[in-house]
Amino acid sequence: MKNYLKPDEWCIVEDGFHAEYNEITESVMSLGNGRMGQRGNFEETFSGKSLSGNYVAGVYYPDKTRVGWWKNGYPEYFAKVLNAANWIGIIVEVDYETLDLNTCEVWDFSRVLNMREGYLERSFSARLKSGKEVKVSAKRFCSIVNDEAGAIQYSVTPLNFDAKLTLTPFVDGDVRNRDANYDEKFWDEVHKETGYGEAYIELRTKKTGFHVLTGMKFELFRDGQRIDFQSLPVKLEKYVANKVSLDARQGEEITLVKYACNLSSLNHPSDGLVFRAKKYLSRLADKGFEQMAREQAQAWADKWKFMDITIEGDTAAQQGIRFNLFQLFQTYTGQDERLNIGPKGFTGEKYGGSTYWDTEAYCIPFYLATADPKVARNLLIYRYKHLPKAIENAGKLGFKAGAALYPMVTMNGEECHNEWEITFEEIHRNGAIAYAIFDYVRYTNDEQYLVDFGLEVLIGIARFWSQRVNWSGEKQKYVMLGVTGPNEYENNVNNNWYTNLMACWCLEYAMQVAGRVKALNPEKYRVLCDRIHFREQKEFATAKDIVAKMHFPENEELGVFLQQDGYLDKEQLTVNDLNPGDRPINQKWSWDRILRSCFIKQADVLQGMYVFEDRYDEATLRRNYDFYEPRTVHESSLSPCVHAILAARLGLKDKAYEFYLRTSRLDLDDYNNDTEDGCHITSMAGTWMAVVKGFGGMRVAEGSVHFAPFCPEQWRSFAFKIRFRGNLLNVKATQSEVMIENLSAQPVSIFVYNQAVTLAGNAAKVILVS
């Protein structure tokens, strides 16, 4: 853990420059607006440790897979969200000496991410090698209102000299991804031009052919008064800039305001991008930086009004949840069904920025409760549109008759993960896709989605599971061989309990939905069956047999479900038996040693018990929790939140709090020594789940929302809002009482501690905590 960032309820504060942690801070201080984003890099030159990152949503490159042993069915590429043109850059020179914090003496350094208003602010003083001293302040944001743009206000004040100050704002498209498999660059130049106070460069991705036009327009001020200037245009390969030299006087502030945009062919015709960018930037310049900043603050205020979670009495916990919410909402807005949520969002390159099962398992519950239903629906539509590719993916692995295997990693529906034990074996992801449909319909009651889209997906998934199992003559059961469960520290195992559970549930749910769609719209059901050649009686007879005769590993003596066949053959140790110097084991141990150990990366059996908690009584849950949690190293960001929810249900309040703090501050405190690669965006939805489903006890059952809140002893109170079927509810819990407020005009019926409560419109009720 690293504790160099200061606790603050609304800001992430680096007080003093911690150069050794700079890449971590760049990740944490990332900005975005759903269309574009960038890491918290410096505007001026920095030759120290840094991972430059600017990203445009939906624009990717199929980086050729790099493996030592090619296998049939292997993806040919790994999709990478590309490091795009750097639009924030400003070279600062004092009498031709470059400002570089890696070579200067720096003091009064502060870097602050203001989450309330959505901007990054930085200030410092520096002494160059010549002895000249400058004070710098910078503020920038990715605009929520103008979501293809960003703006920077950058000020330099000479502290002990009069001299020539040269500012060179630039756009640099000659960039690469650090994680490129063959160290190649992914962009070709199409066009570039410069003008007075502006510059534009259009790049095209290799292979995929996306065009992105990055433009900049800037203006200069002296002590707050706008000034005219002369500029020298600069054009290099994939690089454009304007160089401006000024006579700067001691104590006089020179400010450069830079407006920038990223227009992509995903959203605009590729012809005429330069023309559109010029008009776009002219509108921004006419508006001005201060008005843009005010609009940004208001846009974030509107978001916080509905999504904020307040915690009284624990600044670290409050900062943690707001950081998670901030990153989630600046990564994905739900307005474009072509987009999804990459595990790193706009904060880094790792995982390719592509879509994983995290979206369905963690993010959809979050967006269901905090956003308009169309946001979650768009995430489901994204998968529906990829169904043909999922069928194609299954076909590559030898499956037939319309079986669908959704990819572990994708940008366009095609599998692009390049590790065999994940690509071929971590098939439980199919279950997450199906469960998300169930979760959405249960929450919204939008059964029309099942008619129009959902059933077709569910049948494809059911067909996959029906073919993936085989009959074991020895066991006289159906078995599932050669899989990887959620615990990726086990590969190629037989009968992973969670995977078998999800497979059977998917078959049951497909049968249930088929019956419902047939009742709702018989004609549409008939047309679908004819189109996909679905033979209900035959296929569902097979499904029923599998559900009735599936093998589930279990140890009756211990009273626990076994993670997979043979799990108890391993040497049974707990995390307390590990040498602290061996943690995290994924960075200290060989893969062979990890695979032979009993240690668990993330919830596996417990993931299943979380998803289907209504199937298990408290005693069964407790036995499994007490067995598996001590063996879990939580080296996946997706692990602590599930354990927090289960611990809360079991009344393990201190453990629930411990897991909440870990998931909420995973990146802020760099728990797993990997934040420098980017933040764990999708797991941040799990942080919300830990509060709302864990401490808030929120569940949806039989068309009603249920709450069973408790307030951790470390807090005076906590409060959150949720949307549910047209109602907006505010829930606040203290140590002694719970207040539920209906912020909508229409009445709503809910359950609190299993007791029915009816709230009139715009009314509240207080329930004492027993």
Side-chain angles (χ1 to χ4, degrees):
M1 287 178 58
K2 301 172 182 66
N3 297 301
Y4 69 100
L5 298 174
K6 293 177 62 175
D8 184 281
E9 291 189 350
W10 278 107
C11 296
I12 309 302
V13 181
E14 181 189 21
D15 194 2
F17 183 35
H18 299 77
E20 70 277 22
Y21 299 144
N22 187 52
E23 289 186 352
I24 296 172
T25 315
E26 288 176 339
S27 296
V28 169
M29 303 268 184
S30 296
L31 295 171
N33 59 18
R35 293 283 181 198
M36 56 181 271
Q38 101 255 129
R39 289 169 57 81
N41 306 126
F42 296 164
E43 290 85 2
E44 72 278 351
T45 302
F46 183 66
S47 59
K49 188 177 181 182
S50 176
L51 173 61
S52 178
N54 295 269
Y55 311 102
V56 179
V59 175
Y60 70 96
Y61 175 82
D63 198 10
K64 184 179 178 182
T65 299
R66 186 168 191 164
V67 294
W69 177 21
W70 193 271
K71 301 169 182 66
N72 288 337
Y74 223 69
E76 296 183 359
Y77 67 90
F78 189 86
K80 302 284 178 69
V81 168
L82 302 186
N83 188 11
N86 175 15
W87 61 267
I88 68 170
I90 303 171
I91 300 171
V92 180
E93 297 171 286
V94 178
D95 277 345
Y96 308 106
E97 186 177 9
T98 301
L99 175 64
D100 179 349
L101 268 62
N102 192 48
T103 60
C104 296
E105 180 184 345
V106 181
W107 67 98
D108 290 340
F109 181 97
S110 174
R111 182 164 30 175
V112 178
L113 178 66
N114 185 309
M115 299 179 291
R116 187 198 294 268
E117 299 185 5
Y119 64 82
L120 176 61
E121 195 167 37
R122 189 165 56 98
S123 62
F124 61 88
S125 295
R127 180 178 298 111
L128 283 70
K129 290 182 179 179
S130 63
K132 294 183 176 67
E133 298 176 359
V134 295
K135 178 181 178 181
V136 173
S137 62
K139 178 179 179 179
R140 76 171 186 257
F141 53 87
C142 290
S143 174
I144 298 289
V145 177
N146 305 105
D147 65 2
E148 293 174 300
I152 303 170
Q153 185 181 67
Y154 192 93
S155 300
V156 181
T157 303
L159 296 179
N160 64 349
F161 64 90
D162 296 338
K164 185 179 295 295
L165 175 67
T166 302
L167 302 175
T168 307
F170 64 83
V171 176
D172 183 9
D174 191 22
V175 295
R176 67 177 70 239
N177 277 46
R178 181 184 287 183
D179 68 347
N181 287 340
Y182 295 90
D183 200 34
E184 61 182 316
K185 295 181 179 180
F186 301 139
W187 295 97
D188 288 326
E189 182 181 303
V190 176
H191 176 78
K192 64 188 172 201
E193 64 179 74
T194 60
Y196 175 74
E198 59 184 349
Y200 304 87
I201 187 160
E202 182 177 346
L203 304 173
R204 180 180 57 240
T205 58
K206 297 177 180 178
K207 296 185 181 179
T208 47
F210 292 105
H211 287 240
V212 177
L213 188 289
T214 304
M216 72 167 187
K217 190 177 184 70
F218 67 95
E219 50 195 5
L220 288 171
F221 300 82
R222 190 189 297 270
D223 280 343
Q225 299 299 311
R226 184 172 178 174
I227 58 173
D228 292 328
F229 56 87
Q230 291 185 331
S231 63
L232 177 67
V234 180
K235 292 183 181 180
L236 303 172
E237 183 183 1
K238 304 177 190 175
Y239 179 98
V240 288
N242 276 211
K243 193 169 189 176
V244 180
S245 293
L246 304 166
D247 291 326
R249 295 180 287 274
Q250 182 176 339
E252 187 177 66
E253 183 182 68
I254 303 296
T255 300
L256 185 149
V257 174
K258 182 177 182 181
Y259 309 97
C261 67
N262 283 308
L263 304 187
S264 84
S265 57
L266 200 65
N267 305 310
H268 304 274
S270 57
D271 293 340
L273 283 175
V274 174
F275 174 74
R276 291 183 182 86
K278 288 181 177 181
K279 290 184 65 177
Y280 196 102
L281 290 179
S282 291
R283 290 196 302 269
L284 296 185
D286 290 343
K287 186 183 293 188
F289 184 87
E290 295 302 329
Q291 184 178 337
M292 288 185 69
R294 287 192 297 271
E295 292 175 349
Q296 177 82 346
Q298 185 58 55
W300 274 104
D302 293 341
K303 288 181 178 292
W304 286 116
K305 181 179 179 180
F306 294 104
M307 74 173 180
D308 193 19
I309 290 178
T310 59
I311 296 172
E312 292 185 301
D314 190 337
T315 301
Q318 177 69 86
Q319 183 185 47
I321 187 62
R322 282 191 173 135
F323 174 69
N324 285 246
L325 295 172
F326 177 79
Q327 291 290 354
L328 278 165
F329 269 97
Q330 70 171 3
T331 299
Y332 181 76
T333 64
Q335 302 305 308
D336 190 337
E337 64 189 33
R338 298 169 300 173
L339 302 179
N340 208 286
I341 307 153
K344 295 295 182 186
F346 296 122
T347 72
E349 301 172 5
K350 194 172 182 181
Y351 304 125
S354 305
T355 303
Y356 285 64
W357 69 288
D358 309 20
T359 292
E360 285 73 27
Y362 297 87
C363 296
I364 279 184
F366 167 73
Y367 287 108
L368 276 173
T370 60
D372 188 281
K374 71 178 182 181
V375 174
R377 200 174 198 270
N378 277 346
L379 289 171
L380 297 184
I381 292 291
Y382 176 91
R383 292 294 194 179
Y384 173 76
K385 290 186 172 182
H386 287 175
L387 179 59
K389 285 289 187 181
I391 293 172
E392 181 181 310
N393 292 336
K396 289 178 180 178
L397 301 185
F399 293 88
K400 298 178 176 62
L405 175 59
Y406 276 90
M408 187 67 182
V409 180
T410 193
M411 286 296 293
N412 62 0
E414 190 172 27
E415 176 65 75
C416 64
H417 198 284
N418 55 11
E419 295 174 349
W420 66 268
E421 67 275 15
I422 307 300
T423 304
F424 302 152
E425 295 193 340
E426 199 165 346
I427 53 178
H428 68 81
R429 60 194 186 249
N430 251 13
I433 308 297
Y435 191 84
I437 296 172
F438 166 78
D439 207 14
Y440 169 78
V441 174
R442 176 178 61 175
Y443 203 93
T444 64
N445 200 33
D446 178 12
E447 291 189 308
Q448 190 61 39
Y449 182 82
L450 298 175
V451 176
D452 294 339
F453 308 107
L455 178 58
E456 187 175 353
V457 172
L458 294 170
I459 289 174
I461 290 173
R463 284 171 160 175
F464 170 81
W465 290 124
S466 293
Q467 296 178 46
R468 185 58 172 79
V469 301
N470 65 272
W471 180 255
S472 167
E474 178 186 359
K475 288 183 169 63
Q476 289 294 294
K477 295 279 188 180
Y478 287 99
V479 295
M480 189 136 20
L481 309 179
V483 303
T484 295
N487 171 26
E488 294 171 339
Y489 289 175
E490 300 273 10
N491 301 150
N492 203 38
V493 302
N494 295 335
N495 296 306
N496 172 260
W497 182 86
Y498 173 79
T499 304
N500 287 13
L501 180 70
M502 289 301 294
C504 286
W505 177 86
C506 287
L507 294 171
E508 291 176 306
Y509 187 53
M511 290 187 282
Q512 175 190 330
V513 171
R516 186 61 180 151
V517 170
K518 188 190 297 185
L520 289 170
N521 195 324
E523 178 60 18
K524 200 156 191 176
Y525 180 76
R526 184 192 63 77
V527 170
L528 173 64
C529 290
D530 288 346
R531 179 165 59 83
I532 65 175
H533 307 291
F534 177 63
R535 301 298 174 255
E536 178 186 327
Q537 187 174 358
K538 180 181 178 181
E539 295 192 41
F540 281 170
T542 300
K544 289 175 182 176
D545 197 49
I546 293 169
V547 171
K549 299 174 183 176
M550 179 69 85
H551 168 61
F552 291 97
E554 184 176 0
N555 184 278
E556 293 182 0
E557 182 180 348
L558 294 173
V560 299
F561 306 119
L562 292 183
Q563 185 174 267
Q564 72 262 353
D565 287 347
Y567 179 76
L568 290 181
D569 291 337
K570 295 171 176 283
E571 182 183 9
Q572 293 300 312
L573 302 172
T574 69
V575 174
N576 288 337
D577 296 318
L578 285 171
N579 183 329
D582 284 346
R583 303 287 304 279
I585 63 173
N586 63 12
Q587 297 175 22
K588 302 296 180 67
W589 284 10
S590 70
W591 195 242
D592 168 74
R593 186 179 180 187
I594 289 174
L595 291 176
R596 288 186 289 106
S597 80
C598 70
F599 295 116
I600 300 168
K601 180 183 181 183
Q602 68 193 80
D604 196 304
V605 168
L606 294 183
Q607 182 81 18
M609 301 193 78
Y610 154 70
V611 172
F612 300 113
E613 63 176 355
D614 56 335
R615 295 186 176 189
Y616 308 105
D617 60 29
E618 184 175 315
T620 302
L621 174 58
R622 190 177 299 277
R623 287 194 304 273
N624 282 273
Y625 180 92
D626 288 345
F627 181 79
Y628 284 108
E629 194 286 317
R631 291 162 171 77
T632 305
V633 291
H634 302 292
E635 289 174 7
S636 165
S637 63
L638 302 175
S639 187
C641 63
V642 171
H643 287 82
I645 295 166
L646 294 177
R649 181 186 165 188
L650 292 171
L652 305 173
K653 297 182 179 181
D654 286 342
K655 290 297 290 186
Y657 175 79
E658 174 190 326
F659 285 127
Y660 162 75
L661 210 58
R662 176 165 183 157
T663 190
S664 70
R665 300 192 62 83
L666 183 78
D667 292 311
L668 293 175
D669 296 336
D670 193 25
Y671 267 89
N672 290 341
N673 294 322
D674 60 0
T675 303
E676 63 187 24
D677 297 326
C679 295
H680 299 80
I681 301 299
T682 47
S683 74
M684 291 177 175
T687 303
W688 175 90
M689 289 162 53
V691 175
V692 176
K693 292 190 172 187
F695 304 134
M698 191 202 88
R699 304 290 190 271
V700 175
E702 298 181 353
S704 296
V705 64
H706 294 239
F707 300 100
F710 77 86
C711 186
E713 293 180 359
Q714 295 84 351
W715 303 349
R716 291 194 300 274
S717 72
F718 73 100
F720 60 88
K721 294 183 179 73
I722 69 156
R723 301 171 187 249
F724 183 73
R725 299 192 181 182
N727 291 94
L728 179 64
L729 301 174
N730 183 56
V731 180
K732 182 174 182 178
T734 69
Q735 298 294 335
S736 59
E737 64 182 32
V738 174
M739 184 192 74
I740 313 286
E741 186 179 7
N742 181 9
L743 301 177
S744 306
Q746 65 269 29
V748 62
S749 294
I750 63 174
F751 287 81
V752 183
Y753 302 119
N754 294 321
Q755 299 298 311
V757 175
T758 299
L759 290 171
N762 299 307
K765 190 160 189 175
V766 174
I767 297 99
L768 297 179
V769 176
S770 58

